[in-house]
């Protein structure tokens, strides 16, 4: 009994001691450290939430939608929270996959960070921001996620806006696309972090990229109280997000559709063609009315994350790289459309504008015969006829003689190079400066360029002159390539006579983009000023307040007088009735709207010819320039010219539709919209 009593006493002492410790600790927590723990508890229950701004829409010149927003229920996960879970969030992800009706592995792929060796789908954005895993989910699914946060910690479901394209594929490369902001961009791009909500997307190409800051708006902020499961129980403080500006463009959606169909039909009618481009400019203002490129794609493929097969399709050579805009990024030899520059150079170099020129069937350059197309021989003709009939030998002679005056193979210390310099004055060889990213500069070769190229490549060329090209299966092509390598090894620094002759008719190394050619023609048939084309017309707040009108800069002036410009324009005005495009425009009502233009057929080694037609209308007082290029389309008159005719018929309502009915004119009065559409206070467009 004594032993039992002793044990009870010890037990009582222990209990009293424990109670004393508990009381002391409770006093310490509540009285001594109470304020600190209250502050900590309050802090952990407060969350700062960035509220995404509604991205601005993109409209055409009449207020018709090109890109709009559509509300969608989006399910996202918090990668940082998943990382803190013992299993990396796999259990939660499996439950989520079950109610979304998708495979667990598919979700797992979508949330892994993109990087070298990681195929799509993956998350290209910052690992510290919410990662969307499902779009357009039903309200029932969203409700399950929100009501069962104990089963779905780190998972949210909320309404977000997603980009929608009412016109489908039209203008895909011009409009661009969106992708998540990366961690690196948040750190490097000034002002982006402050404006970024964590779920915003940023423009990656086209107008979406060029006007990203204005379209994105300013994210709002909300401080909320949450329970231990992360569920919001109260809003403490909030500041509203500022919606992005509306971008009004100079694009006319109807004309855009016409150009899209015209180049699609051109590729269909010329099955060997591998790409095409079309662009329409306003001669008076320099604004872009339409631009289209083929192959193309549906920009909606980016919404919600792109699949690996779709991503590879956009970039692969086999599919023709539909992500690339041939209008601004594709460069090609322009063929005879380039002769407007060559005629201007001849006159500026002292050749008589109203003189007589010989047009033999062939012209001899350093012992090599350069023939006219089809062996045409016209005898003594004017420059007017040389343009209308596209007599190459007139230009071969001019190019060769200018090359001789500069010293031939032994160049003078100071060369004039009138044709190359005139081409640069027409805007070739440098970007136009259009408000779209990634524009190509093209190439205007001259003696300095030849020497620089030889310096950079002579070792490779000399090696190939010895080894040849065993990887080329075509023996004739391999032998030609070896001879060319040997020539470049020994004389690659020289500008040869044949290169000067080819340059005069837009062949050889000269490369221009369809937009560069359209701009040059607009300057020629307009007021002589070179403008940097603009797609954006104005930025407007959602309540209709004008933020700014986007000006079209004048970047240069053609170094030729009005007489020369009018002479060339009048000559080109006869190409569609009595020249190389007469067949393509047979039956066109020239009495209603007269069309001018120039065909171009550019040879490409190992491929079919590139087909061009550069055109303007009305010919007597041009308001529009339209250019179409069809790669591997053949003759300019057979592929590009019919496509341009189709464009003019649609703009002016002069043709018949696919059902044989008379077309309605896209621009009934023959002029583009001159006033900005009115945006009402509620964000809608006034009719």
């Amino acid at each position: 009994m004594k032993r039992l009593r002793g044990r009870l006493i010890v037990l009582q002492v222990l209990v009293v001691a424990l109670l004393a410790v508990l009381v002391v600790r409770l006093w310490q927590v509540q009285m001594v450290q109470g304020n600190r723990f209250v502050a900590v508890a309050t802090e952990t229950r407060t969350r700062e939430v960035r509220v995404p701004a509604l991205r601005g829409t993109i409209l055409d010149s009449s207020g018709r939608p090109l890109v709009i927003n559509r509300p969608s229920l989006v399910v996202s996960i918090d990668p940082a929270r998943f990382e803190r879970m013992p299993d990396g969030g796999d259990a939660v992800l499996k439950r989520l996959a079950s109610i979304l009706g998708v495979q667990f592995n598919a979700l797992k792929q979508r949330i892994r960070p993109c990087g070298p060796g990681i195929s799509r789908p993956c998350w290209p954005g910052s690992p510290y921001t919410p990662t969307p895993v499902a779009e357009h989910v039903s309200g029932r699914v969203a409700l399950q996620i929100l009501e069962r946060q104990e089963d779905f910690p780190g998972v949210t479901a909320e309404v977000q806006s997603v980009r929608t394209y009412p016109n489908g594929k039209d203008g895909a490369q011009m409009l661009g696309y969106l992708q998540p902001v990366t961690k690196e961009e948040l750190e490097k791009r000034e002002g982006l972090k402050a404006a970024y909500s964590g779920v915003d997307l940023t423009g990656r190409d086209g107008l979406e990229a060029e006007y990203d800051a204005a379209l994105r708006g300013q994210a709002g902020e909300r401080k909320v109280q949450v329970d231990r499961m992360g569920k919001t129980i109260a809003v403490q403080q909030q500041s509203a997000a500022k919606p992005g500006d509306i971008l009004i463009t100079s694009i006319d959606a109807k004309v855009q559709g016409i150009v899209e169909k015209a180049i699609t039909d051109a590729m269909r009618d010329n099955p060997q063609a591998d790409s095409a481009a079309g662009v329409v400019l306003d001669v008076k203002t320099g604004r872009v009315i339409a631009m289209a490129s083929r192959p193309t794609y549906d920009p909606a493929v980016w919404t919600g994350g792109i699949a690996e097969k779709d991503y590879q399709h956009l970039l692969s050579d086999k599919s023709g790289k539909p992500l690339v805009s041939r209008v601004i990024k594709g460069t090609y030899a322009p063929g005879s459309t380039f002769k407007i520059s060559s005629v201007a150079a001849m006159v500026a170099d002292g050749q008589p504008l109203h003189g007589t020129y010989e047009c033999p069937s062939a012209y001899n350059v350093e012992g090599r015969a350069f023939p006219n197309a089809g062996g045409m021989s016209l005898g003594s003709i004017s420059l007017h006829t040389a343009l209308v009939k596209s007599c190459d030998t007139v230009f071969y002679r001019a190019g060769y003689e200018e090359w001789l005056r500069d010293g031939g193979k032994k160049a003078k210390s100071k060369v004039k190079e009138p044709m190359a310099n005139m081409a640069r004055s027409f805007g070739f060889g440098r970007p136009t400066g259009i408000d779209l990213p990634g524009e190509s500069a093209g190439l205007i070769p001259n003696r300095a360029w030849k020497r620089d190229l030889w310096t950079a490549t002579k070792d490779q060329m000399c090696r190939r002159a010895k080894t040849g090209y065993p990887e080329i299966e075509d023996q004739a092509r391999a032998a030609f390539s070896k001879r060319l390598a040997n020539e470049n090894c020994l004389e690659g620094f020289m500008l040869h006579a044949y290169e000067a002759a080819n340059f005069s008719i837009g062949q050889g190394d000269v490369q221009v983009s369809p937009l560069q050619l359209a701009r040059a023609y607009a300057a020629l048939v307009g007021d002589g000023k070179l403008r940097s084309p603009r797609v954006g017309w104005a930025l407007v707040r959602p309540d209709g307040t004008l933020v700014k009108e986007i000006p079209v800069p004048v970047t240069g002036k053609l170094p030729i007088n009005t007489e020369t410009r009018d002479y060339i324009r009048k000559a080109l005005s006869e190409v569609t009735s009595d020249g190389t495009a007469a067949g393509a425009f047979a039956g066109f009502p020239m009495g209603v709207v007269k069309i001018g233009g120039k065909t171009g057929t550019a040879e490409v080694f190992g491929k079919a010819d590139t087909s061009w037609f550069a055109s303007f209308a009305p010919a007597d007082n041009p308001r529009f320039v339209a250019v179409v290029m069809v790669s591997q389309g053949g003759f300019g008159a057979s592929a590009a010219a019919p496509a341009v005719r189709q464009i003019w018929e649609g703009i002016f309502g002069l043709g018949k539709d696919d059902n044989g009915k008379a077309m309605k004119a896209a621009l009934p009065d023959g002029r583009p919209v001159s006033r900005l559409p009115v945006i009402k206070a509620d964000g809608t467009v006034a009719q």
Side-chain angles (χ1 to χ4, degrees):
M1 288 294 291
K2 289 182 179 180
R3 182 180 296 176
L4 180 60
R5 189 178 295 115
R7 288 178 177 175
L8 288 173
I9 291 171
V10 171
L11 183 60
Q12 288 174 347
V13 171
L14 286 173
V15 170
V16 171
L18 288 172
L19 287 173
V21 170
L22 184 61
V23 169
V24 171
R25 181 59 180 160
L26 187 62
W27 174 82
Q28 186 183 32
V29 168
Q30 291 186 332
M31 304 303 294
V32 178
Q33 296 179 303
N35 292 336
R36 185 172 71 86
F37 281 118
V38 167
V40 171
T42 303
E43 182 182 0
T44 57
R45 291 170 55 205
T46 302
R47 297 282 186 271
E48 287 190 3
V49 180
R50 304 281 286 179
V51 181
L54 186 67
R55 193 172 179 88
T57 55
I58 302 176
L59 309 178
D60 87 338
S61 57
S62 297
R64 292 180 286 249
L66 300 177
V67 185
I68 57 176
N69 300 306
R70 182 179 63 185
S72 173
L73 272 170
V74 179
V75 175
S76 305
I77 65 103
D78 182 351
R81 191 165 180 184
F82 269 43
E83 285 182 4
R84 293 194 296 269
M85 297 178 185
D87 63 349
D90 282 358
V92 176
L93 212 57
K94 286 177 181 177
R95 288 192 290 271
L96 185 60
S98 176
I99 68 166
L100 292 176
V102 299
Q103 295 292 322
F104 165 74
N105 287 335
L107 282 187
K108 192 77 171 174
Q109 285 182 324
R110 288 196 65 168
I111 67 173
R112 60 183 178 167
C114 292
I118 303 296
S119 61
R120 308 262 176 164
C122 57
W123 174 239
S126 170
Y128 308 120
T129 58
T131 304
V133 294
E135 295 78 25
H136 313 304
V137 301
S138 66
R140 181 182 62 82
V141 169
L143 198 59
Q144 287 186 65
I145 293 170
L146 295 175
E147 289 185 341
R148 295 165 50 195
Q149 279 292 289
E150 67 277 6
D151 291 331
F152 300 104
V155 182
T156 61
E158 58 186 356
V159 175
Q160 296 179 14
S161 62
V162 297
R163 292 305 237 187
T164 302
Y165 306 88
N167 302 309
K169 298 179 180 180
D170 287 7
Q173 298 86 356
M174 171 188 66
L175 296 173
Y177 61 94
L178 304 177
Q179 281 285 272
V181 178
T182 65
K183 177 185 175 184
E184 291 73 19
E185 285 174 316
L186 285 176
E187 294 172 350
K188 293 179 181 179
R189 284 174 60 179
E190 185 178 353
L192 182 58
K193 197 168 188 177
Y196 184 57
S197 72
V199 296
D200 285 327
L201 303 175
T202 188
R204 292 294 185 211
D205 198 6
L207 296 172
E208 293 278 24
E210 188 72 18
Y211 294 98
D212 182 64
L215 291 168
R216 187 173 59 244
Q218 186 75 35
E221 198 170 89
R222 186 168 62 230
K223 288 185 178 181
V224 298
Q225 285 186 325
V226 298
D227 61 18
R228 65 184 183 85
M229 300 306 300
K231 188 175 181 180
T232 300
I233 57 177
V235 178
Q236 288 185 332
Q237 182 182 345
Q238 64 179 347
S239 60
K242 180 183 177 183
D245 295 337
I246 296 169
L247 175 62
I248 299 173
T249 71
S250 56
I251 298 298
D252 186 286
K254 291 182 179 179
V255 178
Q256 181 71 32
I258 291 167
V259 177
E260 298 275 358
K261 187 176 186 304
I263 63 173
T264 297
D265 291 349
M267 290 191 67
R268 179 202 63 199
D269 296 339
N270 298 272
Q272 77 280 11
D274 57 17
S275 61
V279 57
V280 178
L281 294 184
D282 182 342
V283 170
K284 306 294 185 185
T285 67
R287 296 194 183 277
V288 180
I289 306 300
M291 62 162 60
S293 178
R294 288 293 182 276
T296 191
Y297 71 100
D298 186 349
V301 73
W302 295 100
T303 304
I306 187 169
E308 177 67 14
K309 65 178 181 64
D310 294 327
Y311 186 69
Q312 293 301 329
H313 173 79
L314 294 179
L315 300 176
S316 73
D317 291 324
K318 186 176 181 181
S319 61
K321 296 184 177 179
L323 201 60
V324 175
S325 169
R326 266 67 183 185
V327 178
I328 66 170
K329 299 179 183 179
T331 59
Y332 315 83
S336 292
T337 60
F338 191 69
K339 289 175 181 174
I340 59 168
S341 174
S342 297
V343 166
M346 290 167 64
V347 175
D349 195 41
Q351 300 282 349
L353 180 63
H354 299 283
T356 300
Y357 298 84
E358 293 302 314
C359 179
S361 60
Y363 183 75
N364 190 288
V365 177
E366 302 277 288
R368 175 181 170 186
F370 281 70
N372 258 328
M376 174 179 62
S377 178
L378 300 178
S380 298
I381 62 173
S382 63
L383 286 177
H384 179 105
T385 303
L387 285 169
V388 175
K389 301 297 185 181
S390 203
C391 175
D392 290 340
T393 50
V394 167
F395 297 95
Y396 288 145
R397 179 171 185 163
Y400 177 54
E401 289 180 348
E402 288 179 4
W403 176 81
L404 287 174
R405 286 195 292 273
D406 275 338
K409 289 185 177 181
K410 296 181 179 180
K412 295 178 180 178
S413 58
K414 188 174 182 180
V415 294
K416 291 179 62 177
E417 298 187 309
M419 286 201 173
N421 289 331
M422 182 60 71
R424 290 191 179 86
S425 297
F426 268 77
F428 300 122
R430 56 188 167 95
T432 67
I434 189 173
D435 53 342
L436 292 172
E439 183 185 11
S440 297
L443 174 64
I444 296 300
N446 63 0
R447 294 176 186 269
W449 171 82
K450 281 284 290 186
R451 181 167 288 278
D452 291 343
L453 180 65
W454 178 75
T455 301
T457 62
K458 63 179 179 179
D459 291 341
Q460 179 186 354
M461 289 295 100
C462 292
R463 184 171 63 253
R464 284 294 192 173
K466 295 178 180 179
T467 64
Y469 293 82
E471 68 273 18
I472 299 179
E473 295 182 2
D474 186 331
Q475 295 300 310
R477 185 176 179 183
F480 175 79
S481 298
K482 185 177 181 180
R483 288 197 304 273
L484 191 61
N486 185 65
E487 179 183 307
N488 287 331
C489 172
L490 300 175
E491 300 180 342
F493 57 89
M494 295 182 184
L495 184 73
H496 293 88
Y498 71 85
E499 292 174 298
N502 277 330
F503 182 87
S504 70
I505 64 163
Q507 294 277 184
D509 291 315
V510 58
Q511 297 278 295
V512 308
S513 71
L515 182 64
Q516 287 175 326
L517 193 66
R519 178 173 77 146
Y521 271 73
L524 176 73
V525 303
D527 59 6
K529 295 178 180 178
L530 275 176
R531 291 175 171 83
S532 180
R534 288 293 179 269
V535 180
W537 188 2
L539 288 166
V540 179
R541 295 294 302 144
D543 63 1
T545 305
L546 178 66
V547 177
K548 71 170 182 177
E549 189 166 335
I550 300 163
V552 180
V554 174
T555 59
K557 185 174 178 62
L558 299 183
I560 53 176
N561 58 32
T562 302
E563 181 188 9
T564 303
R565 288 193 291 106
D566 285 345
Y567 183 93
I568 297 173
R569 177 183 58 79
K570 289 176 181 178
L572 300 182
S573 298
E574 294 184 15
V575 169
T576 55
S577 57
D578 192 37
T580 53
F585 281 84
F588 189 90
M590 294 291 178
V592 180
V593 179
K594 186 169 178 58
I595 309 298
K598 187 75 189 77
T599 55
T601 304
E603 296 178 357
V604 182
F605 179 68
K607 294 184 177 181
D609 295 343
T610 302
S611 176
W612 288 92
F613 192 64
S615 181
F616 52 91
D620 295 334
N621 184 22
R623 186 59 200 255
F624 303 105
V625 160
V627 170
V628 166
M629 181 283 308
V630 183
S631 174
Q632 299 205 78
F635 291 113
S638 64
V644 172
R645 173 176 178 159
Q646 193 173 331
I647 291 171
W648 292 132
E649 288 175 341
I651 288 176
F652 295 108
L654 300 175
K656 293 184 177 181
D657 61 23
D658 292 339
N659 298 318
K661 296 182 179 179
M663 284 184 176
K664 290 184 178 180
L667 302 174
D669 60 355
R671 295 192 299 271
V673 175
S674 59
R675 292 183 179 179
L676 289 167
V678 176
I679 307 299
K680 297 192 292 186
D682 62 359
T684 59
V685 180
Q687 299 298 319

